Amino acid sequence: MSGKYNLEHFSEVMNRQLSLVPEEMKQNDLFVKLSLLREKEVSTEEVQNLVGQIILQAQENAPAELTGDPKKYCDTITSVYSGDYIKAIFDAKNGAGASGFIAEAFQYYSKNC
């Protein structure tokens, strides 16, 4: 598809791409809640507690081989939310910078907790 087609049919293209995102990422309101804190520093207790809740929820609900230890999970989330594909989708739905903030928050958690 051409760039012109993509621009003319932006919402259709985004809906098609959004359908490829795993349900866990679309429906996890903790990620949305975290993105709403993006005006705060990633090092704040509020942000880091929420990151910890997300990690705990993932460990409780997903097979261990998918989440691994908290550092591995943080690295995975940082990588996913830093990627152009997820960034475009998540930021379109939750506001510019939401994806980058999540990546930074998990990166901070990984290095400091």
Side-chain angles (χ1 to χ4, degrees):
M1 286 181 236
S2 72
K4 183 178 178 183
Y5 175 88
N6 288 343
L7 286 174
E8 291 172 354
H9 301 280
F10 181 76
S11 63
E12 293 171 40
V13 172
M14 288 306 291
N15 285 336
R16 225 174 309 138
Q17 294 298 318
L18 188 57
S19 72
L20 301 174
V21 176
E23 284 301 313
E24 172 187 301
M25 290 179 67
K26 287 192 277 188
Q27 295 180 353
N28 192 329
D29 59 82
L30 291 179
F31 279 97
V32 174
K33 187 175 179 181
L34 180 59
S35 74
L36 295 173
L37 299 176
R38 67 183 171 272
E39 299 301 320
K40 298 182 182 255
E41 294 292 323
V42 295
S43 61
T44 64
E45 185 176 341
E46 183 179 12
V47 170
Q48 290 304 300
N49 283 340
L50 193 50
V51 171
Q53 287 177 31
I54 292 169
I55 293 168
L56 184 60
Q57 183 181 64
Q59 290 174 327
E60 290 173 350
N61 296 317
E65 57 272 6
L66 293 179
T67 59
D69 63 36
K71 182 174 178 2
K72 179 182 174 194
Y73 183 74
C74 286
D75 293 344
T76 299
I77 295 299
T78 299
S79 177
V80 167
Y81 279 86
S82 296
D84 292 338
Y85 174 72
I86 296 300
K87 188 182 298 185
I89 293 170
F90 196 80
D91 285 4
K93 187 170 182 168
N94 298 289
S99 183
F101 179 78
I102 288 173
E104 289 177 35
F106 274 85
Q107 188 173 40
Y108 183 90
Y109 188 96
S110 177
K111 290 181 181 177
N112 296 286
C113 294

PDB file of all heavy atoms in Angstrom, residues 9-42:
ATOM      1  N   HIS A   9      -6.688   6.494   4.466  1.00  0.00           N
ATOM      2  CA  HIS A   9      -7.427   5.453   5.196  1.00  0.00           C
ATOM      3  C   HIS A   9      -6.783   5.188   6.555  1.00  0.00           C
ATOM      4  O   HIS A   9      -6.728   4.050   7.025  1.00  0.00           O
ATOM      5  CB  HIS A   9      -7.460   4.161   4.363  1.00  0.00           C
ATOM      6  CG  HIS A   9      -8.102   4.329   3.029  1.00  0.00           C
ATOM      7  ND1 HIS A   9      -9.462   4.330   2.873  1.00  0.00           N
ATOM      8  CD2 HIS A   9      -7.575   4.543   1.802  1.00  0.00           C
ATOM      9  CE1 HIS A   9      -9.752   4.525   1.588  1.00  0.00           C
ATOM     10  NE2 HIS A   9      -8.619   4.663   0.926  1.00  0.00           N
ATOM     11  N   PHE A  10      -6.335   6.255   7.197  1.00  0.00           N
ATOM     12  CA  PHE A  10      -5.573   6.134   8.435  1.00  0.00           C
ATOM     13  C   PHE A  10      -6.293   5.303   9.490  1.00  0.00           C
ATOM     14  O   PHE A  10      -5.714   4.394  10.074  1.00  0.00           O
ATOM     15  CB  PHE A  10      -5.235   7.526   8.994  1.00  0.00           C
ATOM     16  CG  PHE A  10      -4.434   7.480  10.267  1.00  0.00           C
ATOM     17  CD1 PHE A  10      -3.089   7.186  10.229  1.00  0.00           C
ATOM     18  CD2 PHE A  10      -5.041   7.712  11.488  1.00  0.00           C
ATOM     19  CE1 PHE A  10      -2.343   7.129  11.387  1.00  0.00           C
ATOM     20  CE2 PHE A  10      -4.296   7.658  12.662  1.00  0.00           C
ATOM     21  CZ  PHE A  10      -2.947   7.375  12.608  1.00  0.00           C
ATOM     22  N   SER A  11      -7.560   5.605   9.752  1.00  0.00           N
ATOM     23  CA  SER A  11      -8.266   4.880  10.821  1.00  0.00           C
ATOM     24  C   SER A  11      -8.414   3.396  10.486  1.00  0.00           C
ATOM     25  O   SER A  11      -8.294   2.550  11.365  1.00  0.00           O
ATOM     26  CB  SER A  11      -9.624   5.509  11.122  1.00  0.00           C
ATOM     27  OG  SER A  11     -10.467   5.434  10.011  1.00  0.00           O
ATOM     28  N   GLU A  12      -8.650   3.074   9.224  1.00  0.00           N
ATOM     29  CA  GLU A  12      -8.747   1.669   8.823  1.00  0.00           C
ATOM     30  C   GLU A  12      -7.411   0.961   9.039  1.00  0.00           C
ATOM     31  O   GLU A  12      -7.376  -0.160   9.556  1.00  0.00           O
ATOM     32  CB  GLU A  12      -9.126   1.548   7.349  1.00  0.00           C
ATOM     33  CG  GLU A  12     -10.514   2.016   7.000  1.00  0.00           C
ATOM     34  CD  GLU A  12     -10.706   2.061   5.493  1.00  0.00           C
ATOM     35  OE1 GLU A  12     -10.230   1.141   4.797  1.00  0.00           O
ATOM     36  OE2 GLU A  12     -11.326   3.023   5.027  1.00  0.00           O
ATOM     37  N   VAL A  13      -6.339   1.619   8.621  1.00  0.00           N
ATOM     38  CA  VAL A  13      -5.001   1.032   8.756  1.00  0.00           C
ATOM     39  C   VAL A  13      -4.670   0.835  10.233  1.00  0.00           C
ATOM     40  O   VAL A  13      -4.187  -0.222  10.635  1.00  0.00           O
ATOM     41  CB  VAL A  13      -3.942   1.913   8.057  1.00  0.00           C
ATOM     42  CG1 VAL A  13      -2.532   1.423   8.367  1.00  0.00           C
ATOM     43  CG2 VAL A  13      -4.176   1.931   6.553  1.00  0.00           C
ATOM     44  N   MET A  14      -4.960   1.839  11.070  1.00  0.00           N
ATOM     45  CA  MET A  14      -4.670   1.730  12.500  1.00  0.00           C
ATOM     46  C   MET A  14      -5.506   0.624  13.145  1.00  0.00           C
ATOM     47  O   MET A  14      -4.995  -0.130  13.975  1.00  0.00           O
ATOM     48  CB  MET A  14      -4.918   3.069  13.211  1.00  0.00           C
ATOM     49  CG  MET A  14      -3.876   4.123  12.902  1.00  0.00           C
ATOM     50  SD  MET A  14      -2.176   3.588  13.228  1.00  0.00           S
ATOM     51  CE  MET A  14      -2.183   3.500  15.005  1.00  0.00           C
ATOM     52  N   ASN A  15      -6.765   0.504  12.780  1.00  0.00           N
ATOM     53  CA  ASN A  15      -7.602  -0.564  13.334  1.00  0.00           C
ATOM     54  C   ASN A  15      -7.078  -1.934  12.940  1.00  0.00           C
ATOM     55  O   ASN A  15      -7.088  -2.865  13.750  1.00  0.00           O
ATOM     56  CB  ASN A  15      -9.058  -0.405  12.892  1.00  0.00           C
ATOM     57  CG  ASN A  15      -9.766   0.711  13.629  1.00  0.00           C
ATOM     58  OD1 ASN A  15      -9.376   1.072  14.730  1.00  0.00           O
ATOM     59  ND2 ASN A  15     -10.791   1.264  13.014  1.00  0.00           N
ATOM     60  N   ARG A  16      -6.611  -2.064  11.705  1.00  0.00           N
ATOM     61  CA  ARG A  16      -6.024  -3.324  11.250  1.00  0.00           C
ATOM     62  C   ARG A  16      -4.768  -3.646  12.057  1.00  0.00           C
ATOM     63  O   ARG A  16      -4.564  -4.771  12.497  1.00  0.00           O
ATOM     64  CB  ARG A  16      -5.684  -3.243   9.763  1.00  0.00           C
ATOM     65  CG  ARG A  16      -6.097  -4.461   9.005  1.00  0.00           C
ATOM     66  CD  ARG A  16      -5.893  -4.345   7.510  1.00  0.00           C
ATOM     67  NE  ARG A  16      -6.500  -3.116   7.016  1.00  0.00           N
ATOM     68  CZ  ARG A  16      -5.947  -2.299   6.122  1.00  0.00           C
ATOM     69  NH1 ARG A  16      -4.807  -2.607   5.574  1.00  0.00           N
ATOM     70  NH2 ARG A  16      -6.541  -1.203   5.744  1.00  0.00           N
ATOM     71  N   GLN A  17      -3.922  -2.635  12.259  1.00  0.00           N
ATOM     72  CA  GLN A  17      -2.700  -2.843  13.022  1.00  0.00           C
ATOM     73  C   GLN A  17      -3.011  -3.144  14.489  1.00  0.00           C
ATOM     74  O   GLN A  17      -2.379  -3.992  15.093  1.00  0.00           O
ATOM     75  CB  GLN A  17      -1.777  -1.611  12.923  1.00  0.00           C
ATOM     76  CG  GLN A  17      -1.232  -1.364  11.535  1.00  0.00           C
ATOM     77  CD  GLN A  17      -0.383  -2.513  11.049  1.00  0.00           C
ATOM     78  OE1 GLN A  17       0.415  -3.080  11.783  1.00  0.00           O
ATOM     79  NE2 GLN A  17      -0.566  -2.890   9.794  1.00  0.00           N
ATOM     80  N   LEU A  18      -3.989  -2.437  15.048  1.00  0.00           N
ATOM     81  CA  LEU A  18      -4.370  -2.656  16.438  1.00  0.00           C
ATOM     82  C   LEU A  18      -4.871  -4.077  16.651  1.00  0.00           C
ATOM     83  O   LEU A  18      -4.645  -4.669  17.707  1.00  0.00           O
ATOM     84  CB  LEU A  18      -5.437  -1.645  16.861  1.00  0.00           C
ATOM     85  CG  LEU A  18      -5.810  -1.612  18.331  1.00  0.00           C
ATOM     86  CD1 LEU A  18      -4.587  -1.345  19.197  1.00  0.00           C
ATOM     87  CD2 LEU A  18      -6.878  -0.577  18.590  1.00  0.00           C
ATOM     88  N   SER A  19      -5.498  -4.643  15.643  1.00  0.00           N
ATOM     89  CA  SER A  19      -5.988  -6.014  15.778  1.00  0.00           C
ATOM     90  C   SER A  19      -4.846  -7.017  15.916  1.00  0.00           C
ATOM     91  O   SER A  19      -5.056  -8.135  16.376  1.00  0.00           O
ATOM     92  CB  SER A  19      -6.874  -6.388  14.580  1.00  0.00           C
ATOM     93  OG  SER A  19      -6.097  -6.553  13.411  1.00  0.00           O
ATOM     94  N   LEU A  20      -3.640  -6.621  15.548  1.00  0.00           N
ATOM     95  CA  LEU A  20      -2.481  -7.500  15.664  1.00  0.00           C
ATOM     96  C   LEU A  20      -1.816  -7.446  17.035  1.00  0.00           C
ATOM     97  O   LEU A  20      -0.983  -8.277  17.363  1.00  0.00           O
ATOM     98  CB  LEU A  20      -1.441  -7.144  14.587  1.00  0.00           C
ATOM     99  CG  LEU A  20      -1.922  -7.244  13.141  1.00  0.00           C
ATOM    100  CD1 LEU A  20      -0.858  -6.725  12.195  1.00  0.00           C
ATOM    101  CD2 LEU A  20      -2.309  -8.669  12.797  1.00  0.00           C
ATOM    102  N   VAL A  21      -2.194  -6.445  17.849  1.00  0.00           N
ATOM    103  CA  VAL A  21      -1.615  -6.292  19.183  1.00  0.00           C
ATOM    104  C   VAL A  21      -2.243  -7.317  20.114  1.00  0.00           C
ATOM    105  O   VAL A  21      -3.459  -7.488  20.116  1.00  0.00           O
ATOM    106  CB  VAL A  21      -1.858  -4.854  19.712  1.00  0.00           C
ATOM    107  CG1 VAL A  21      -1.344  -4.710  21.136  1.00  0.00           C
ATOM    108  CG2 VAL A  21      -1.207  -3.839  18.801  1.00  0.00           C
ATOM    109  N   PRO A  22      -1.438  -8.003  20.910  1.00  0.00           N
ATOM    110  CA  PRO A  22      -1.993  -8.997  21.831  1.00  0.00           C
ATOM    111  C   PRO A  22      -3.035  -8.387  22.759  1.00  0.00           C
ATOM    112  O   PRO A  22      -2.892  -7.261  23.218  1.00  0.00           O
ATOM    113  CB  PRO A  22      -0.767  -9.467  22.629  1.00  0.00           C
ATOM    114  CG  PRO A  22       0.406  -9.112  21.776  1.00  0.00           C
ATOM    115  CD  PRO A  22       0.005  -7.894  21.001  1.00  0.00           C
ATOM    116  N   GLU A  23      -4.081  -9.153  23.039  1.00  0.00           N
ATOM    117  CA  GLU A  23      -5.172  -8.681  23.908  1.00  0.00           C
ATOM    118  C   GLU A  23      -4.656  -8.208  25.262  1.00  0.00           C
ATOM    119  O   GLU A  23      -5.148  -7.238  25.816  1.00  0.00           O
ATOM    120  CB  GLU A  23      -6.214  -9.786  24.119  1.00  0.00           C
ATOM    121  CG  GLU A  23      -7.127 -10.001  22.947  1.00  0.00           C
ATOM    122  CD  GLU A  23      -7.924  -8.753  22.563  1.00  0.00           C
ATOM    123  OE1 GLU A  23      -8.498  -8.106  23.441  1.00  0.00           O
ATOM    124  OE2 GLU A  23      -7.945  -8.435  21.366  1.00  0.00           O
ATOM    125  N   GLU A  24      -3.652  -8.894  25.789  1.00  0.00           N
ATOM    126  CA  GLU A  24      -3.098  -8.525  27.091  1.00  0.00           C
ATOM    127  C   GLU A  24      -2.660  -7.064  27.116  1.00  0.00           C
ATOM    128  O   GLU A  24      -2.875  -6.357  28.076  1.00  0.00           O
ATOM    129  CB  GLU A  24      -1.912  -9.435  27.416  1.00  0.00           C
ATOM    130  CG  GLU A  24      -1.139  -9.023  28.656  1.00  0.00           C
ATOM    131  CD  GLU A  24       0.109  -9.855  28.833  1.00  0.00           C
ATOM    132  OE1 GLU A  24      -0.009 -11.085  28.948  1.00  0.00           O
ATOM    133  OE2 GLU A  24       1.193  -9.269  28.845  1.00  0.00           O
ATOM    134  N   MET A  25      -2.075  -6.595  26.036  1.00  0.00           N
ATOM    135  CA  MET A  25      -1.588  -5.220  25.991  1.00  0.00           C
ATOM    136  C   MET A  25      -2.721  -4.234  25.763  1.00  0.00           C
ATOM    137  O   MET A  25      -2.670  -3.115  26.247  1.00  0.00           O
ATOM    138  CB  MET A  25      -0.532  -5.058  24.897  1.00  0.00           C
ATOM    139  CG  MET A  25       0.757  -5.760  25.237  1.00  0.00           C
ATOM    140  SD  MET A  25       1.965  -5.580  23.944  1.00  0.00           S
ATOM    141  CE  MET A  25       2.293  -3.837  24.057  1.00  0.00           C
ATOM    142  N   LYS A  26      -3.740  -4.629  25.035  1.00  0.00           N
ATOM    143  CA  LYS A  26      -4.849  -3.713  24.763  1.00  0.00           C
ATOM    144  C   LYS A  26      -5.732  -3.531  25.986  1.00  0.00           C
ATOM    145  O   LYS A  26      -6.286  -2.467  26.194  1.00  0.00           O
ATOM    146  CB  LYS A  26      -5.707  -4.239  23.602  1.00  0.00           C
ATOM    147  CG  LYS A  26      -5.040  -4.114  22.255  1.00  0.00           C
ATOM    148  CD  LYS A  26      -6.018  -4.370  21.154  1.00  0.00           C
ATOM    149  CE  LYS A  26      -6.194  -5.826  20.893  1.00  0.00           C
ATOM    150  NZ  LYS A  26      -6.989  -6.136  19.716  1.00  0.00           N
ATOM    151  N   GLN A  27      -5.883  -4.560  26.781  1.00  0.00           N
ATOM    152  CA  GLN A  27      -6.858  -4.521  27.849  1.00  0.00           C
ATOM    153  C   GLN A  27      -6.255  -4.296  29.228  1.00  0.00           C
ATOM    154  O   GLN A  27      -6.979  -4.209  30.194  1.00  0.00           O
ATOM    155  CB  GLN A  27      -7.670  -5.818  27.851  1.00  0.00           C
ATOM    156  CG  GLN A  27      -8.491  -5.951  26.611  1.00  0.00           C
ATOM    157  CD  GLN A  27      -9.305  -7.225  26.600  1.00  0.00           C
ATOM    158  OE1 GLN A  27      -9.166  -8.079  27.447  1.00  0.00           O
ATOM    159  NE2 GLN A  27     -10.163  -7.349  25.616  1.00  0.00           N
ATOM    160  N   ASN A  28      -4.956  -4.218  29.331  1.00  0.00           N
ATOM    161  CA  ASN A  28      -4.339  -4.071  30.634  1.00  0.00           C
ATOM    162  C   ASN A  28      -4.437  -2.624  31.088  1.00  0.00           C
ATOM    163  O   ASN A  28      -3.637  -1.786  30.710  1.00  0.00           O
ATOM    164  CB  ASN A  28      -2.886  -4.543  30.600  1.00  0.00           C
ATOM    165  CG  ASN A  28      -2.312  -4.665  31.987  1.00  0.00           C
ATOM    166  OD1 ASN A  28      -2.693  -3.939  32.893  1.00  0.00           O
ATOM    167  ND2 ASN A  28      -1.398  -5.585  32.145  1.00  0.00           N
ATOM    168  N   ASP A  29      -5.441  -2.340  31.914  1.00  0.00           N
ATOM    169  CA  ASP A  29      -5.664  -0.970  32.335  1.00  0.00           C
ATOM    170  C   ASP A  29      -4.541  -0.441  33.204  1.00  0.00           C
ATOM    171  O   ASP A  29      -4.401   0.760  33.360  1.00  0.00           O
ATOM    172  CB  ASP A  29      -7.018  -0.832  33.037  1.00  0.00           C
ATOM    173  CG  ASP A  29      -7.131  -1.712  34.260  1.00  0.00           C
ATOM    174  OD1 ASP A  29      -6.633  -1.319  35.317  1.00  0.00           O
ATOM    175  OD2 ASP A  29      -7.728  -2.786  34.153  1.00  0.00           O
ATOM    176  N   LEU A  30      -3.698  -1.302  33.767  1.00  0.00           N
ATOM    177  CA  LEU A  30      -2.566  -0.813  34.538  1.00  0.00           C
ATOM    178  C   LEU A  30      -1.556  -0.097  33.638  1.00  0.00           C
ATOM    179  O   LEU A  30      -0.953   0.895  34.042  1.00  0.00           O
ATOM    180  CB  LEU A  30      -1.884  -1.950  35.303  1.00  0.00           C
ATOM    181  CG  LEU A  30      -2.678  -2.549  36.461  1.00  0.00           C
ATOM    182  CD1 LEU A  30      -1.901  -3.681  37.122  1.00  0.00           C
ATOM    183  CD2 LEU A  30      -3.044  -1.491  37.484  1.00  0.00           C
ATOM    184  N   PHE A  31      -1.384  -0.572  32.408  1.00  0.00           N
ATOM    185  CA  PHE A  31      -0.506   0.132  31.468  1.00  0.00           C
ATOM    186  C   PHE A  31      -1.095   1.495  31.109  1.00  0.00           C
ATOM    187  O   PHE A  31      -0.375   2.485  31.008  1.00  0.00           O
ATOM    188  CB  PHE A  31      -0.270  -0.699  30.199  1.00  0.00           C
ATOM    189  CG  PHE A  31       0.775  -1.761  30.366  1.00  0.00           C
ATOM    190  CD1 PHE A  31       0.417  -3.062  30.653  1.00  0.00           C
ATOM    191  CD2 PHE A  31       2.117  -1.467  30.224  1.00  0.00           C
ATOM    192  CE1 PHE A  31       1.368  -4.049  30.810  1.00  0.00           C
ATOM    193  CE2 PHE A  31       3.092  -2.438  30.371  1.00  0.00           C
ATOM    194  CZ  PHE A  31       2.715  -3.738  30.667  1.00  0.00           C
ATOM    195  N   VAL A  32      -2.404   1.549  30.930  1.00  0.00           N
ATOM    196  CA  VAL A  32      -3.071   2.826  30.643  1.00  0.00           C
ATOM    197  C   VAL A  32      -2.935   3.750  31.848  1.00  0.00           C
ATOM    198  O   VAL A  32      -2.599   4.934  31.704  1.00  0.00           O
ATOM    199  CB  VAL A  32      -4.542   2.618  30.254  1.00  0.00           C
ATOM    200  CG1 VAL A  32      -5.262   3.948  30.111  1.00  0.00           C
ATOM    201  CG2 VAL A  32      -4.642   1.807  28.962  1.00  0.00           C
ATOM    202  N   LYS A  33      -3.168   3.208  33.032  1.00  0.00           N
ATOM    203  CA  LYS A  33      -3.033   4.000  34.259  1.00  0.00           C
ATOM    204  C   LYS A  33      -1.607   4.537  34.394  1.00  0.00           C
ATOM    205  O   LYS A  33      -1.401   5.700  34.746  1.00  0.00           O
ATOM    206  CB  LYS A  33      -3.403   3.136  35.468  1.00  0.00           C
ATOM    207  CG  LYS A  33      -3.461   3.874  36.764  1.00  0.00           C
ATOM    208  CD  LYS A  33      -3.962   2.954  37.875  1.00  0.00           C
ATOM    209  CE  LYS A  33      -4.007   3.680  39.207  1.00  0.00           C
ATOM    210  NZ  LYS A  33      -4.459   2.792  40.290  1.00  0.00           N
ATOM    211  N   LEU A  34      -0.629   3.698  34.090  1.00  0.00           N
ATOM    212  CA  LEU A  34       0.767   4.130  34.135  1.00  0.00           C
ATOM    213  C   LEU A  34       1.022   5.251  33.134  1.00  0.00           C
ATOM    214  O   LEU A  34       1.682   6.236  33.444  1.00  0.00           O
ATOM    215  CB  LEU A  34       1.702   2.942  33.877  1.00  0.00           C
ATOM    216  CG  LEU A  34       3.201   3.225  33.896  1.00  0.00           C
ATOM    217  CD1 LEU A  34       3.633   3.787  35.246  1.00  0.00           C
ATOM    218  CD2 LEU A  34       3.977   1.947  33.581  1.00  0.00           C
ATOM    219  N   SER A  35       0.465   5.112  31.948  1.00  0.00           N
ATOM    220  CA  SER A  35       0.684   6.144  30.922  1.00  0.00           C
ATOM    221  C   SER A  35       0.101   7.487  31.345  1.00  0.00           C
ATOM    222  O   SER A  35       0.587   8.537  30.932  1.00  0.00           O
ATOM    223  CB  SER A  35       0.106   5.707  29.574  1.00  0.00           C
ATOM    224  OG  SER A  35      -1.302   5.787  29.568  1.00  0.00           O
ATOM    225  N   LEU A  36      -0.926   7.478  32.185  1.00  0.00           N
ATOM    226  CA  LEU A  36      -1.541   8.717  32.653  1.00  0.00           C
ATOM    227  C   LEU A  36      -0.660   9.460  33.656  1.00  0.00           C
ATOM    228  O   LEU A  36      -0.898  10.630  33.944  1.00  0.00           O
ATOM    229  CB  LEU A  36      -2.912   8.432  33.270  1.00  0.00           C
ATOM    230  CG  LEU A  36      -3.969   7.902  32.300  1.00  0.00           C
ATOM    231  CD1 LEU A  36      -5.230   7.506  33.059  1.00  0.00           C
ATOM    232  CD2 LEU A  36      -4.273   8.922  31.219  1.00  0.00           C
ATOM    233  N   LEU A  37       0.359   8.795  34.165  1.00  0.00           N
ATOM    234  CA  LEU A  37       1.282   9.412  35.126  1.00  0.00           C
ATOM    235  C   LEU A  37       2.501  10.029  34.442  1.00  0.00           C
ATOM    236  O   LEU A  37       3.443  10.436  35.105  1.00  0.00           O
ATOM    237  CB  LEU A  37       1.746   8.367  36.152  1.00  0.00           C
ATOM    238  CG  LEU A  37       0.671   7.723  37.012  1.00  0.00           C
ATOM    239  CD1 LEU A  37       1.273   6.642  37.897  1.00  0.00           C
ATOM    240  CD2 LEU A  37      -0.033   8.775  37.854  1.00  0.00           C
ATOM    241  N   ARG A  38       2.490  10.131  33.120  1.00  0.00           N
ATOM    242  CA  ARG A  38       3.685  10.541  32.388  1.00  0.00           C
ATOM    243  C   ARG A  38       4.171  11.956  32.676  1.00  0.00           C
ATOM    244  O   ARG A  38       5.266  12.311  32.273  1.00  0.00           O
ATOM    245  CB  ARG A  38       3.544  10.281  30.903  1.00  0.00           C
ATOM    246  CG  ARG A  38       2.529  11.082  30.162  1.00  0.00           C
ATOM    247  CD  ARG A  38       2.495  10.615  28.694  1.00  0.00           C
ATOM    248  NE  ARG A  38       1.403  11.178  27.962  1.00  0.00           N
ATOM    249  CZ  ARG A  38       0.201  10.664  27.871  1.00  0.00           C
ATOM    250  NH1 ARG A  38      -0.073   9.534  28.479  1.00  0.00           N
ATOM    251  NH2 ARG A  38      -0.736  11.262  27.175  1.00  0.00           N
ATOM    252  N   GLU A  39       3.397  12.753  33.378  1.00  0.00           N
ATOM    253  CA  GLU A  39       3.862  14.079  33.771  1.00  0.00           C
ATOM    254  C   GLU A  39       4.781  13.998  34.992  1.00  0.00           C
ATOM    255  O   GLU A  39       5.421  14.970  35.352  1.00  0.00           O
ATOM    256  CB  GLU A  39       2.669  15.001  34.063  1.00  0.00           C
ATOM    257  CG  GLU A  39       1.756  15.221  32.868  1.00  0.00           C
ATOM    258  CD  GLU A  39       2.467  15.836  31.660  1.00  0.00           C
ATOM    259  OE1 GLU A  39       3.311  16.736  31.862  1.00  0.00           O
ATOM    260  OE2 GLU A  39       2.186  15.411  30.527  1.00  0.00           O
ATOM    261  N   LYS A  40       4.840  12.828  35.621  1.00  0.00           N
ATOM    262  CA  LYS A  40       5.679  12.626  36.805  1.00  0.00           C
ATOM    263  C   LYS A  40       7.022  12.042  36.393  1.00  0.00           C
ATOM    264  O   LYS A  40       7.176  11.518  35.293  1.00  0.00           O
ATOM    265  CB  LYS A  40       4.987  11.681  37.789  1.00  0.00           C
ATOM    266  CG  LYS A  40       3.663  12.228  38.302  1.00  0.00           C
ATOM    267  CD  LYS A  40       3.045  11.284  39.291  1.00  0.00           C
ATOM    268  CE  LYS A  40       1.718  11.833  39.746  1.00  0.00           C
ATOM    269  NZ  LYS A  40       1.749  12.384  41.065  1.00  0.00           N
ATOM    270  N   GLU A  41       7.965  12.107  37.286  1.00  0.00           N
ATOM    271  CA  GLU A  41       9.264  11.460  37.070  1.00  0.00           C
ATOM    272  C   GLU A  41       9.085   9.945  37.207  1.00  0.00           C
ATOM    273  O   GLU A  41       8.338   9.489  38.074  1.00  0.00           O
ATOM    274  CB  GLU A  41      10.282  11.954  38.102  1.00  0.00           C
ATOM    275  CG  GLU A  41      10.639  13.411  37.960  1.00  0.00           C
ATOM    276  CD  GLU A  41      11.420  13.698  36.695  1.00  0.00           C
ATOM    277  OE1 GLU A  41      12.255  12.859  36.299  1.00  0.00           O
ATOM    278  OE2 GLU A  41      11.186  14.754  36.086  1.00  0.00           O
ATOM    279  N   VAL A  42       9.799   9.192  36.389  1.00  0.00           N
ATOM    280  CA  VAL A  42       9.671   7.729  36.459  1.00  0.00           C
ATOM    281  C   VAL A  42      10.177   7.179  37.788  1.00  0.00           C
ATOM    282  O   VAL A  42       9.807   6.080  38.178  1.00  0.00           O
ATOM    283  CB  VAL A  42      10.392   7.022  35.282  1.00  0.00           C
ATOM    284  CG1 VAL A  42       9.746   7.360  33.965  1.00  0.00           C
ATOM    285  CG2 VAL A  42      11.873   7.310  35.272  1.00  0.00           C
TER     286      VAL A  42
END
